[in-house]
């Protein structure tokens, strides 16, 4: 049994392991943040199943939502498996499958339209085109770098992420807008969405720029983050094709269950569906 803090060398080795698995930087940072949080809580306690279970109870008592607790436990369990200490792994909280999404976090098509208009009114052409690109293709924010001049010319982008390669199609109208923007910015090849220094946009920068137009767009900040554009794409795509398997392939999901989460309706929509049952006289 180990005593004291987990050595930094083990955490560094875990980071290298995650990098070898081709995890995206944001995921790696999230895992390491959760592990360091556990180490800070652990203190001088012995590292074992009891300690892991104690941290689980600590998280539950911290008024975190169950999904957040499970996310942190997932990082810890992965770390334990890396250390070959599977006996320390803890069970996740049992959560009933959600039927609808919280309205305060749901970006509607109207919200999206107002965000685009606000970005254009504020002269943020790059941001407006970037939001359109994510929303019209369903790519992850970490996949923006694959939107290149060459991809816009071909009408498709080859995305390599998490050890998988998939092809995403780019709508013709969007291709033309991307090519026009690239010509105006004098970008002859490679990534289209670049900073003034010619570097790719970071997840944090995209997030901050989107938050910066909330007030102008009159859209609640709780709804505005890059991943919600991907959710909006998923809902629009499913309304047209009604094929969750095809949608999973387009989004790059390994599990249909993950795709199902993207298709949750809002509580308001769920209430309307209940009203249509006509069971209240």
């Amino acid at each position: 049994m180990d005593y004291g803090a987990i050595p930094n060398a083990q955490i560094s080795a875990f980071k290298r392991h995650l990098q070898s698995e081709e995890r995206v930087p944001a995921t790696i940072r999230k895992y390491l943040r959760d592990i360091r949080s556990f180490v800070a809580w652990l203190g001088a306690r012995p590292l074992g199943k009891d300690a892991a279970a104690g941290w689980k109870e600590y998280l539950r008592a911290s008024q975190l939502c169950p999904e957040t607790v499970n996310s942190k436990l997932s990082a810890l369990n992965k770390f334990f498996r890396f250390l070959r200490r599977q006996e320390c792994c803890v069970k996740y909280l049992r959560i009933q499958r959600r039927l609808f999404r919280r309205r305060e976090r749901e970006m509607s098509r109207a919200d999206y339209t107002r965000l685009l208009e606000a970005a254009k009114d504020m002269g943020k052409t790059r941001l407006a085109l970037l939001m359109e690109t994510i929303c019209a293709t369903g790519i992850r924010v970490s996949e923006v770098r694959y939107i290149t001049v060459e991809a816009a010319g071909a009408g498709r982008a080859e995305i390599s992420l998490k050890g998988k390669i998939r092809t995403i199609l780019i709508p013709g109208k969007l291709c033309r807008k991307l090519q026009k923007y690239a010509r105006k910015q004098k970008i002859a090849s490679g990534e289209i969405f670049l900073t003034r220094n010619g570097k790719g946009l970071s997840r944090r920068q995209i997030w901050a720029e989107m938050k910066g137009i909330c007030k102008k767009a009159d859209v609640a900040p709780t709804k505005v983050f890059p991943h919600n554009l991907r959710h909006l794409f998923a809902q629009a795509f499913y309304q047209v094709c009604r094929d969750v398997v095809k949608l999973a392939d387009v989004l790059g999901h390994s599990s249909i269950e993950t795709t199902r989460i993207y298709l949750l309706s809002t509580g308001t929509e769920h209430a309307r569906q209940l009203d249509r049952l006509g069971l209240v006289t």
Side-chain angles (χ1 to χ4, degrees), residues 148-277:
T148 62
V149 173
E150 293 78 9
R156 62 183 61 205
E158 299 291 329
I159 292 179
S160 176
L161 196 67
K162 298 183 179 181
K164 296 180 294 185
I165 298 176
R166 81 182 195 279
T167 301
I168 63 119
L169 300 181
I170 306 174
K173 186 176 181 180
L174 178 59
C175 285
R176 293 189 290 273
K177 294 181 74 170
L178 288 168
Q179 290 173 314
K180 181 179 179 181
Y181 175 81
R183 286 194 298 270
K184 188 173 182 180
Q185 299 299 316
K186 296 181 171 54
I187 301 172
S189 64
E191 291 182 53
I192 290 178
F193 295 105
L194 300 171
T195 65
R196 292 180 180 178
N197 296 326
K199 297 181 179 179
L201 295 174
S202 68
R203 177 192 300 262
R204 181 171 296 181
Q205 184 172 356
I206 295 171
W207 182 90
E209 288 191 17
M210 287 183 65
K211 293 292 185 182
I213 63 173
C214 290
K215 186 174 181 179
K216 173 72 173 179
D218 192 25
V219 179
T222 54
K223 299 180 178 183
V224 181
F225 45 93
H227 202 67
N228 251 5
L229 296 172
R230 183 165 149 89
H231 277 265
L232 184 56
F233 165 85
Q235 291 160 5
F237 187 95
Y238 184 74
Q239 287 173 1
V240 172
C241 75
R242 294 291 171 179
D243 187 338
V244 69
V245 175
K246 185 174 183 179
L247 176 58
D249 289 338
V250 171
L251 294 175
H253 288 161
S254 300
S255 169
I256 297 296
E257 182 61 24
T258 302
T259 309
R260 189 197 68 80
I261 295 172
Y262 281 58
L263 301 178
L264 294 177
S265 61
T266 63
T268 301
E269 291 174 292
H270 185 67
R272 282 200 296 265
Q273 291 167 354
L274 294 178
D275 288 339
R276 285 199 293 269
L277 296 178

Side-chain angles (χ1 to χ4, degrees), residues 112 115-116 119-120 124-133:
Y112 168 65
L115 287 168
L116 289 180
K120 292 172 184 176
K124 296 183 179 293
T125 305
R126 182 186 65 189
L127 177 59
L129 183 57
L130 176 59
M131 290 192 296
E132 279 189 302
T133 300

